[in-house]
């Protein structure tokens, strides 16, 4: 587990870019943390480093976005779910197919989402400071 602290959105994007350098299709990245802690900012930085040039915005009012970078990239937000049902998972599964998938508010997917490659947890630590913990799975599943 690595922990780091950033002092600007740009710095968070850079941390995310470093994490993303190692990702490939099939990898799932869970990005947890309270509202405004920087989850979407983190995903934006990761997407940039995966070659996504589209605007990366919060999918809060849709379930997910699919971007085209050097590899396919998906960005989901489970904010509106309390616990995913198997039927709902069936609708979401295509986002995980052959893509690097980032999931904001992943708690609702516990027990249903594929095992993550990386778990990120973000929290406010004053003004523009954010504490970011990054936990990588040892092996790909
Ligand atoms: P979330 O998706 O967790 O709700 P967002 O990434 O949408 O969070 O928003 C984070 C907000 O905090 C943005 O307005 C961003 O500019 C601001 N911010 C300030 N400092 C940081 C930082 N160090 N890292 C990330 N975001 C930051
Ligand atoms: Mg968000």
């Amino acid at each position: 587990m690595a922990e780091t602290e950033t002092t600007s959105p740009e710095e968070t994007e850079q941390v995310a870019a470093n994490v993303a350098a190692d990702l490939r299709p099939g990898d799932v990245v869970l990005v947890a943390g309270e509202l405004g802690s920087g989850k979407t900012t983190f995903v934006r930085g990761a997407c940039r480093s995966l070659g996504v040039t589209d605007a990366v915005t919060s999918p809060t009012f849709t379930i997910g976005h699919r971007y085209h970078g050097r590899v396919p990239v998906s960005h989901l937000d489970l904010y509106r779910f309390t616990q995913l049902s198997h039927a709902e998972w069936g609708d979401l599964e295509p986002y995980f197919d052959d893509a690097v998938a980032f999931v904001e508010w992943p708690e609702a997917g516990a027990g249903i989402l594929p095992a993550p490659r990386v778990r990120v947890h973000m929290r406010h630590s004053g003004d523009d400071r954010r504490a970011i913990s990054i936990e990588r799975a040892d092996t790909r599943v």
Side-chain angles (χ1 to χ4, degrees):
M1 166 116 81
E3 282 203 290
T4 187
E5 193 169 72
T6 65
T7 58
S8 69
E10 293 74 22
E11 209 182 321
T12 292
E13 289 187 25
Q14 188 54 54
V15 168
N18 293 342
V19 170
D22 186 35
L23 299 175
R24 34 176 136 125
D27 284 343
V28 175
V29 180
L30 306 183
V31 189
E34 62 224 13
L35 195 68
S37 60
K39 299 182 295 299
T40 299
T41 301
F42 184 98
V43 174
R44 182 176 300 123
C47 285
R48 289 283 169 269
S49 114
L50 290 167
V52 173
T53 54
D54 285 352
V56 174
T57 55
S58 176
T60 298
F61 298 105
T62 62
I63 294 176
H65 291 145
R66 185 114 185 176
Y67 306 113
H68 302 279
R70 280 191 305 285
V71 295
V73 180
S74 293
H75 179 193
L76 289 94
D77 189 318
L78 304 184
Y79 183 70
R80 289 173 305 150
F81 296 91
T82 42
Q83 174 61 53
L84 282 185
S85 68
H86 286 279
E88 287 162 340
W89 164 245
D91 292 336
L92 297 184
E93 196 170 13
Y95 283 105
F96 293 81
D97 233 20
D98 193 38
V100 177
F102 295 91
V103 183
E104 295 189 42
W105 295 105
E107 290 82 355
I112 297 252
L113 294 179
R117 174 82 177 127
V118 185
R119 289 174 192 273
V120 178
H121 188 269
M122 309 205 46
R123 57 192 169 76
H124 290 83
S125 59
D127 298 327
D128 288 347
R129 306 182 84 84
R130 299 292 189 276
I132 308 176
S133 80
I134 298 163
E135 190 184 347
R136 286 183 182 76
D138 291 337
T139 51
R140 286 194 162 76
V141 286

